[in-house]
Amino acid sequence: MAADSEPESEVFEITDFTTASEWERFISKVEEVLNDWKLIGISSGKPLEMGIYTTGIWEEKSDEISFADFRFSITHHYLVQEASDKDGKEELVEDALPLSMQDLLCMNNDFPPRAHCLVRWYGLREFLVIAPAANNDAVLSESKCNLLLSSISIALGNTGCQVPLFVQIHHKWRRMYVGECQGPGVRTDFEMVHLRKVPNQYTHLSGLLDIFKSKIGCPLTPLPPVSIAIRLTYVLQDWQQYFWPQQPPDIDALIGGEVGGLEFGKLPFGACEDPISELHLATTWPHLTEGIIVDNDVYSDLDPIQAPQWSVRVRKADNPQCLLGDFLTEFFKLCRRKESTDEILGRSTFEEDGKEVADITHALSKLTEPAPVPIHKLSVTNMVHSAKKKIRKHRGVDDSPLNNEVLNTIMLFLFPDAADKLTDGSEARPSTSRNNPLPESEEYNIYSQFKSAPSDSLTYKLALCLCMINFYHGGVKGVAHLWQEFVVEMRRRWEKNDLIPGLANGPPDLRCCLLHQKLQMLNCCIERKKARDEGKKAYTSDCSPSGSSGDTGKAVDRSGGDYQKETEKERGEVGKSWESWSDSEEEFFECLSDTEELKGNGQENGKKGGTKEGSKESANLKPEGRLHPHGKLTLLHPGEPLYIPVTQEPAPMTEDLLEEQSEVLAKLGTSAEGAHLRARMQSACLLSDMESFKAANPGCCLEDFVRWYSPRDYIEEEVVDEEGNRVLKGELSARMKIPSNMWVEAWETAKPVPARRQRRLFDDTREAEKVLHYLAIQKPADLARHLLPCVIHASVLKVKEEETLEDIASVKKIIKQIISHSSKVLRFPNPEDKKLEEIIAQIMSAEAIIARARSLKAKFAIEKCDQEEEKEDLERFVNCLLEQPEVSVIGAGRGPAGSIIHKLFVNAQRVATMTSLDEELKRSGSSDERRLNLGAVADFPPPAGRELILRITVPRPAPYSKPLPQRMYSVITKEDFRLAGAFSADTTFF
């Protein structure tokens, strides 16, 4: 058994040569990708049109392959073309050259301004690139490079793919490629040379022709002439002869208004530096033949003035400093500040003797604190003024962020009615500016999309002033100082019953920002307080102790003493100023005392207004608070005319109050009790109107009220009475008859009380104090957040205004994008910083484009051009420069634009070489001698770049081989020399 087991225990190593190696797997993966992308077989396409490489659409698709553990990416770049003869492939000639070989000889797309480097070097419409997948990986060794080349050669041969396939070698920044293209019996090798230093013998055409011919190695004699395309690029960097038209802002002229861009209420605009850094002039000779021109190390015929084609591109300055962009950016930075106004201006400014902090924001709580005796001088006004005195005492006039002159200018700009009072001595009504867009115009209504404020409003002006102060006067300290003064002015206007200018009448506009709504709410409070005070004064002046008559009379059953008492009470309330009200504790209980009095009055007047007893008792009342008769309607029971009462206006609401109210109502839940309580809370206005109606129409019933208040809920039908006459009979609608109906309950509880003696639906005192408190606690960051939509709104209007002067299509498009983007972002509260930064970047982009347009117009002296046709050509040329990567110059060096460009280079050369025109005229010798002495481009600097394309069709490698295209591209710059050759060979007859 042991002998038998010995042979079985021996192990033989078996090498399986049928297993694929890593190299074979790599080739297989390349072939698989080529098959998946359907790049096998004969390629077809229509002839290339002129400039299609620039105007056409380029697409690419990528995949990932690996050689062992080294990852490569394979990318297919191709020009999108309409399908031509895909169905007629069988008609194609079998031995036709691949499209890429035909493209090597095509001259319609030499030197494309924007394209992949291989497109520029070889003129290909389609190609594949295999490159290391990681940016830091590179194929450096020659053996690896040859291995990859052999791999792609086998893959192309196996699949029959006619698309050129390149491999990127060396580091990626060198852009070194080698590749191959195979066709039926032909092959093209793509080779490249890249050097840092240019060999002297290859700096001109003759040396490059020598290397091209030696590389071809054609046995034919004589060799057919080589086709040549040459482009020389000249760079103009010196703009000294043309000063940048945008002067830096003069800060000292701010108050005088000498600089239009710095007037308060106007945003500055334009670049502080030239946004055009360089002008590149490309002079091209597209169709030359060997022997026609001479270009060697001694002499050159390549005079740029004589070039048949000129094209220009401009290099834009990277992030040029623009005024509007800087204003926006600096204002946006405020949104990220954390300090409060007190911290910025110094917290100690509100302290006195270390005992008490007399903060303005605590004024309301101080006033409402119960105290056994009146607190001496605890009015809001005294607190505000004492706080200002302490600020000035601690900080000093010189330490204030804003000096008095600037502050007074801003305050007069924000509150023009103050100037009217100074001059006329009378109060001016708030008015809008005359120089603003019409309310019907699209520019005016942008505020509703941005949720900012109208362009003639106080909020809008305040945003612009704060933006200006933030940039030019003390930054965030100046902003805090101005805001503090603004809040003090709001407090003063509330106390003095002065309406705030620059705000539309009526309730807060919910389409505007919250700060604008708050100011509108404060204006509503001032208006209500002012009207109430004036009404009470008028009432007390009309009334006498003996009684009153007409609509203003009291109940008949009241004694003269009671009436005298109430009249004195009302006169006392009206006659007091706000300061005296603040010194008393009774002001905040005014509504409660009125309510108690009305309850007593209601108990005397009767139980239910709808019952007969109530009707009789209420009929004894004299009507109060009538506005005017309601047409021909009469009361159902007494038959007297139905009068529309004077009612209280509903309380105005800002969006934050509406949100709070909706939250409170939502918290009541869905239970029956919660729903009932919610209905009672929402029926305060209804109850007030019912009480006013009862006071104006003694003896009325619920049906009378419904006929006026909600006519749809009173249904009238024709019926036949007992005598056979047709009469109208009315009744309440079904919903009004529902048990426990809120309308019925409210009507039963309503007493006949005129609007002027009701508890106020809108407590303007409380709401005004809430608004003033809200304004006082705003940090500069909160303020910037509130006003940023206004600043963006103003910036868009400024860009639109400047664009109308230049008429640039791309800027019009950007403005539409800004408006669309901003309306989506700013509509919601607390937008993301990233989205706001995108909007600001779009505005800065539009400003930079307009600044570039003005720079180019100044350089090309468009405004000084006399001929209208020539001026239009130059304007069209400048607009094309802004929107296109490269623009052809009509007429080359002899056209209007070409002659201006020539002068620019000549002037720059004179400055650079310090030679004047007189010295040039004194030079002796013929023009040929001058050209030899000064060089062929005396008016131009040495070319910054020299590009040449050499083409020829010759048999290779043998004289009897098929004639095939050969091409070599060369680019020479100061620190770069590159040769890119495509050399074709016959693989059948060699």
Side-chain angles (χ1 to χ4, degrees), residues 427 491-499 525-527 529-531 533-534 537 578:
E427 183 176 351
R491 169 71 66 181
R492 188 197 67 77
R493 285 179 176 270
W494 160 245
E495 295 171 5
K496 301 296 184 184
N497 285 359
D498 286 347
L499 287 172
C525 296
I526 295 172
E527 200 167 351
K529 180 188 169 193
K530 187 176 180 181
D533 289 356
E534 290 175 355
K537 286 178 182 178
W578 166 242

Side-chain angles (χ1 to χ4, degrees), residues 841-959:
Q842 286 179 309
I843 294 173
M844 293 170 68
S845 171
E847 182 185 20
I849 293 173
I850 294 173
R852 291 184 192 115
R854 290 179 175 169
S855 174
L856 290 171
K857 285 183 178 180
K859 291 172 175 57
F860 284 90
I862 291 178
E863 298 302 326
K864 298 178 182 177
C865 187
D866 298 329
Q867 299 181 8
E868 193 64 31
E869 186 178 349
E870 188 175 320
K871 185 177 180 179
E872 289 179 2
D873 290 341
L874 287 174
E875 285 182 348
R876 200 176 301 114
F877 176 74
V878 167
N879 288 336
C880 290
L881 274 178
L882 292 171
E883 298 176 4
Q884 299 175 15
E886 193 170 278
V887 182
S888 296
V889 180
I890 300 173
R894 296 174 183 80
S899 60
I900 292 173
I901 294 168
H902 183 202
K903 288 176 186 176
L904 290 173
F905 275 99
V906 169
N907 292 334
Q909 281 296 96
R910 284 179 189 154
V911 173
T913 58
M914 301 299 291
T915 58
S916 64
L917 182 61
D918 295 336
E919 291 176 351
E920 286 188 11
L921 293 174
K922 290 177 182 177
R923 285 178 179 169
S924 59
S926 64
S927 59
D928 293 339
E929 290 174 344
R930 195 183 306 162
R931 179 174 290 179
L932 287 171
N933 292 332
L934 299 177
V937 285
D939 292 347
F940 291 84
R946 297 170 66 96
E947 295 175 274
L948 286 89
I949 299 176
L950 308 178
R951 298 181 181 90
I952 194 172
T953 302
V954 293
R956 186 173 176 266

Side-chain angles (χ1 to χ4, degrees), residues 83 197 310 533:
K197 188 177 180 182
W310 275 24
D533 289 356

Side-chain angles (χ1 to χ4, degrees), residues 722-777:
E722 297 174 355
E723 299 176 0
N725 298 325
R726 289 182 174 273
V727 293
L728 283 175
K729 185 180 180 182
E731 61 177 359
L732 295 175
S733 64
R735 78 183 185 105
M736 289 292 177
K737 296 178 179 178
I738 298 173
S740 302
N741 181 14
M742 184 54 61
W743 285 60
V744 175
E745 288 185 11
W747 181 260
E748 290 174 354
T749 57
K751 311 301 179 200
V753 183
R756 64 180 178 79
R757 288 197 292 109
Q758 292 175 9
R759 178 174 180 173
R760 283 179 283 170
L761 290 177
F762 177 57
D763 189 348
D764 48 69
T765 307
R766 183 167 59 92
E767 293 301 328
E769 289 298 337
K770 284 170 66 177
V771 171
L772 291 169
H773 174 72
Y774 179 85
L775 298 179
I777 64 172

Side-chain angles (χ1 to χ4, degrees), residues 51-219:
I52 189 66
Y53 283 179
T54 306
T55 59
I57 300 172
W58 287 86
E59 291 186 357
E60 61 180 64
K61 48 187 175 183
S62 298
D63 203 347
E64 195 168 288
I65 56 177
S66 57
F67 194 129
D69 57 348
F70 195 94
R71 294 184 302 110
F72 289 94
S73 65
I74 179 168
T75 309
H76 180 210
H77 301 264
Y78 58 97
L79 177 70
V80 178
Q81 287 184 291
E82 295 178 4
S84 55
D85 293 330
K86 286 202 171 181
D87 297 333
K89 280 191 177 181
E90 64 279 355
E91 298 177 7
L92 295 172
V93 183
E94 288 187 4
D95 58 349
L97 290 178
L99 275 179
S100 57
M101 291 191 185
Q102 299 173 33
D103 292 344
L104 294 176
L105 297 177
C106 180
M107 296 184 179
N108 289 338
N109 292 281
D110 291 344
F111 314 114
R114 226 182 243 168
H116 191 281
C117 59
L118 291 175
V119 176
R120 190 175 184 86
W121 297 339
Y122 295 114
L124 303 173
R125 74 178 80 181
E126 185 179 21
F127 55 93
L128 294 142
V129 177
I130 295 178
N135 288 326
N136 53 354
D137 288 340
V139 180
L140 300 175
S141 66
E142 188 176 354
S143 60
K144 289 181 180 178
C145 176
N146 290 333
L147 183 63
L148 287 172
L149 271 176
S150 61
S151 303
I152 65 171
S153 181
I154 293 171
L156 291 174
N158 290 344
T159 58
C161 176
Q162 295 187 358
V163 179
L165 183 52
F166 291 87
V167 175
Q168 185 167 13
I169 58 175
H170 291 285
H171 297 288
K172 290 198 172 184
W173 64 266
R174 295 190 65 180
R175 297 191 297 174
M176 287 281 289
Y177 298 88
V178 291
E180 186 175 311
C181 175
Q182 292 187 12
V186 293
R187 184 184 75 244
T188 301
D189 295 313
F190 298 93
E191 303 171 11
M192 199 168 290
V193 174
H194 182 222
L195 303 173
R196 278 294 182 89
K197 188 177 180 182
V198 186
N200 290 332
Q201 65 270 31
Y202 301 136
T203 56
H204 45 266
L205 176 60
S206 57
L208 293 170
L209 279 171
D210 291 341
I211 193 173
F212 182 56
K213 290 177 181 177
S214 64
K215 181 64 181 176
I216 292 172
C218 181

Side-chain angles (χ1 to χ4, degrees), residues 258-313:
E258 296 174 15
V259 180
L262 283 181
E263 293 176 16
F264 283 113
K266 292 184 179 179
L267 289 173
F269 191 88
C272 296
E273 56 183 335
D274 196 338
I276 303 294
S277 59
E278 293 178 357
L279 183 142
H280 293 199
L281 170 65
T283 58
T284 308
W285 291 261
H287 305 292
L288 294 176
T289 307
E290 180 187 3
I292 291 180
I293 62 164
V294 176
D295 180 45
N296 53 37
D297 55 352
V298 178
Y299 175 82
S300 176
D301 283 327
L302 300 175
D303 185 353
I305 295 295
Q306 305 300 326
Q309 292 181 8
W310 275 24
S311 55
V312 175
R313 66 167 67 194

Side-chain angles (χ1 to χ4, degrees), residues 414-432:
L414 294 176
F415 305 102
D417 59 336
D420 296 338
K421 285 183 187 179
L422 293 175
T423 55
D424 303 338
S426 60
E427 183 176 351
R429 285 284 297 175
S431 60
T432 56

